[in-house]
Structures are given as C-alpha cells and as structure tokens.
Amino acid sequence: MHAWPASEVPALPGQGRGLRIHDTATGGRVTLDPGPVARIYVCGITPYDATHMGHAATYNAFDLVQRVWLDTKRQVHYVQNVTDVDDPLLERADKTGDDWTALAERETALFREDMTALRMLPPRHYIGAVESIPGIVPLVERLRDAGAAYELDGDIYFSVESDAHFGEVSGLDAAAMRLLSAERGGDPEREGKKNPLDPMLWMAARDGEPSWDGGSLGRGRPGWHIECVAIALDHLGMGFDVQGGGSDLAFPHHEMGASHAQALTGEHPFARAYVHAGMVALNGEKMSKSKGNLVFVSTVRRDGTDPAAIRLALLAHHYRADWEWTDDVLSEAEARLARWRAAVSRPDGPPADALLEAVRNALADDLDSPTALASVDAWAADQDADGGTDESAPGLVSRTVDALLGVAL
Ligand code: 5CA
Ligand code: ZN
C-alpha cells in the first residue's frame, strides 16, 4: 500500500536530545536508546469512517517521536498498518450497502489526505492486513505446530499460557483483562476455550464474509493481533524501539501481540517500549466510531480551518492526557497560529537559540508539547514587548516549529 507524501523537515543547528518516554509495560519513563536506525510500529486505522480528532491526536504523538529522533540525526524506520478487513468494517459496509473493499479504500484515501494536511510524516512501510495474509498463515501454522495455538470448531486460538511474559505489557489482573477483552473484540464467553482470554488467530470462513486460502488452516481470515505482529516482524523484527497506539490498545491488542511474537520467536521483548496516547472525548465521552460522537479532521478542514491550527490544537494537550475536544480548543489554536505567524513575519526579534533548546528539552521529556508551545508563546511575547535585533531569529523559530512540531508558519 502506498503511504502519503512527506513534508520537508528543516535541519536545525546543534544537537537533538535523546527521548525519555513513558512505557506502559514498566509503568514509568524509560530512556530509549535506539541505534542509528530507530524502529517504530504504530497501529493504523480501521478504515470504515473518516479520521477523527482522537486518531489525529494519537498519530500526532508518534509523529513527535519521529521528529525528535530525526533531530538526533537518526534514520527512522516507521511502520504503520491499515486494518482493512475486520468485523466493524464489514458491518458498516453491510449497513450502507457499500462494497467493503471500496469503503476501506475510500476511507484510507481520506486518511492519507488528512495526514498530509496535518504534516504527519509518513511511515516508510504502510501495510494493509489483506495484503499481509500470505505472511500471516505460516505464523499461525507455526504457533499451532508448537502447541501455542489450538483449534475450536475450525477457528484457531492462541493460548495465552504459552507466553511466560503474558500480562507484562498492560500489568492488568485477570478480572480487568476479562472485562476489556469482552469490550474490545475478544470472546471470553465462548465455550471450549482453554483460557477465556485466548484470542483468535484465524477465523474459519463464515457465510457471506470474505475469506482467503489459509493452507493447512483452511479458508478464513486472520485475527486482529496477529496481523500487526506479522507486519512488525516482517518489517522491523523483534526488539524494535516503540510500539504505539491509543491507550485503548494496551489491552488486549498490544498485550496479545507481544505474546504472539514472543511465543513465535522465543525472544523477549517484542517492543522495547509500549507507548500509549490518551483518549480524546467529545461531550464527555471518548470519541469513537461505534458511538458516533465524532469531529472529523476532514469536516473541520472543509469548514476552512487551517490544518496548522488543528495541529496546534492537538499539540496543546500532553499526549498522555485524556482531554475533550471543544470549539474553544480550536479557536485558541487559531489565535496562537495567528500570533506565531505575525511574529515570524517580522524582520527581527530576540535571539531564539534558547527557544530551540527549550523546545528540544520539552519534547525529549516525554513529548511535553504544551511546554514546547509555551516557550514559543514566550518568545513571541518578548518580541512584542521589547522588539529585538536578531535578524536570524524569526527564521530559526519558524524552522524549529516546523521541524519539531510539524507546524508550517
Ligand atoms: N486498526 C486498529 C489498530 S491495529 C485500530 O485501533 N484502529 S482505530 O481506527 O480504531 O484507531 C486508530 C488509532 O486511533 C488507535 O491507535 C486508537 O487507539 C486511536 N484512537 C481511537 N479513538 C481515539 C480517541 N478517541 N482518542 C485518541 N486516540 C484514539
Ligand atoms: Zn495494531
């Protein structure tokens, strides 16, 4: 699958900072120490509806990770998937009478446009679940042949007990896991499973649903978690630096994915850090396609809002916080964008070297974008109050904001 075009990242003077970031598995901040090529896997959309502000906020967080790494002169090997076959997608297509492949293609195309408009750097590999099926089948066969998976009425389940590290990503107890499993695509009530939490690896073909040749597994389609594992192992291998997504993916998705990969390879860990963004709400409830309480990026763009203002609205919140999208959030971001644009349009200002360091330090400290924005605000306020004679300052501020925050002034 093709991704979307990259916006240019201006080079900045001096040296970027190493990233410290909150890791769900350890429950604290860890210092990431990627090699010259940093490796990150970010879970992509299930394309049955347009990109909403919650998705955009999550992708913004991982775009910052990429920008911080690029600033340390590393290359970034970024992989993202598209869950282009899944129950909610098929259900939506059924309801609207759409062809499910056409629905997935249309919404994925819109996602690319939204990501481009928001200046999110593209993944190096953008991979669909459907195109990955030939690589998934042998993984499920291997798990089954190793005794880590078993059959139940034609479906194949992963046995969570086959991974000694199961539970270490989310750190949840069995009762909490069971609740979340039922809420988030699992089937803990199904009879005959060895453990109620065991997730499906391969679902035997159902009437009226798409299915693929699964070799010795029979016709069917893959379970959700193994899709991301197959893509990550294929393009990144074990022990990559960060697996990212919203906090609703910590369990079961990232927990199960880690266990699948660890059972498959005998190695640990799958990812060195599991990083989760908070949930964006609307009217007091998590924005979600299933509830329909959504503000779409594309709708706000169509209303004439500058995408840079949308980006500033996202950056005004710490990525780990749960927060609420409101009209005020957007109008404050628009006012900030106007102030910043006016400031960098002036021929000179106070020196900005300290500002560059402040933005670098803020982002390196668990992606503290609100503090980064406050430092740019402070520079613009100084310029307003005292002028300044540094003719290179407005350009440096503009390049800092572009390279590290993805906002073109
Ligand atoms: N396709 C799977 C991942 S493999 C999936 O979760 N797709 S999604 O379209 O439902 O979500 C895409 C990303 O947006 C996920 O990382 C999810 O955690 C995040 N996300 C979904 N809703 C919100 C929200 N309200 N606030 C913040 N992030 C959200
Ligand atoms: Zn995923």
Side-chain angles (χ1 to χ4, degrees), residues 77 88 116-117 119 134 137 171 176 209 219 239 251 271 340 368 378-379 388 403:
H77 198 149
T116 309
R119 293 173 81 80
V137 170
E209 289 191 1
R219 283 196 77 78
F251 191 89
W340 288 12
D368 186 354
W379 179 85

Side-chain angles (χ1 to χ4, degrees), residues 41-44 81 83 224-225 227-228 243-244 249 253-254:
Y41 184 94
V42 179
C43 282
N81 69 300
T83 309
W224 175 28
H225 319 304
E227 293 168 357
C228 284
Q243 179 168 31
L249 296 189
H253 188 50
H254 291 170

